[in-house]
Amino acid sequence: MLCKQVPYTMGKQVSFDLFCSLIFSSLALALAGGDGAALDPRAKAAVPFLAACLTSVIACVLSHPGDMVLTEYFKGASLPVVKGFSVAKGARSSALTKPPPVQSTLGAVRAIIARDGPLGLFAGLKARFLHVAAIIIVQLVVYDAIKQALGLPSTGSH
């Protein structure tokens, strides 16, 4: 679980702060001559959203291999395989076997790489972007809005 959550959380929080700071400083230089306080309120509101979009990409890419490892680790523990079953031929065998369970995190990584190569750790990343990116964007925009509602400065604006 740590191989997924630690990269996800670190990537999300650190990159959000960095992207907000970078965007705020760039906008301040480009639009307000270096004075971030003079930025238009719409520009200030757009910064957390844009930073959250960029952050979601980083968090997805960093945490996806860990999610693949978890899936591989738990996959062998509960999914029976029907030995001799062929959908095309309609042949069925009643002998149920389980794939050999993966014994460790490193074993799960080895199994994925042996089966799919190193890029197998990133299989299904497009679907993850659609699902997780939307969640991250909403979380971070709401987080920043709550900070501002409590009188704290917007992330990266100070």
Side-chain angles (χ1 to χ4, degrees):
M1 191 64 138
L2 289 176
C3 62
K4 173 186 160 187
Q5 286 303 118
V6 170
Y8 170 80
T9 303
M10 293 294 291
K12 184 173 84 167
Q13 294 306 122
V14 172
S15 63
F16 182 65
D17 287 347
L18 291 175
F19 284 134
C20 280
S21 294
L22 181 67
I23 295 168
F24 266 118
S25 62
S26 297
L27 281 176
L29 286 173
L31 301 177
D35 183 18
L39 285 177
D40 181 81
R42 290 178 294 171
K44 285 183 179 180
V47 169
F49 178 77
L50 179 58
C53 290
L54 296 170
T55 295
S56 68
V57 172
I58 301 291
C60 285
V61 170
L62 289 177
S63 66
H64 193 70
D67 202 28
M68 293 299 294
V69 169
L70 277 176
T71 300
E72 184 70 25
Y73 185 80
F74 290 112
K75 179 169 74 173
S78 62
L79 295 176
V81 175
V82 179
K83 192 174 187 178
F85 179 75
S86 172
V87 175
K89 297 178 183 174
R92 293 181 186 237
S93 170
S94 62
L96 290 178
T97 60
K98 287 188 176 192
V102 176
Q103 299 294 322
S104 66
T105 302
L106 188 56
V109 172
R110 286 183 184 138
I112 293 168
I113 291 175
R115 185 182 59 240
D116 302 323
L119 291 178
L121 292 169
F122 296 95
L125 190 57
K126 291 178 190 175
R128 185 173 183 84
F129 279 134
L130 293 174
H131 175 238
V132 176
I135 294 169
I136 291 170
I137 291 168
V138 170
Q139 283 176 339
L140 292 175
V141 169
V142 168
Y143 163 75
D144 202 64
I146 290 172
K147 276 181 64 175
Q148 291 177 46
L150 294 173
L152 298 169
S154 181
T155 305
S157 67
H158 52 289

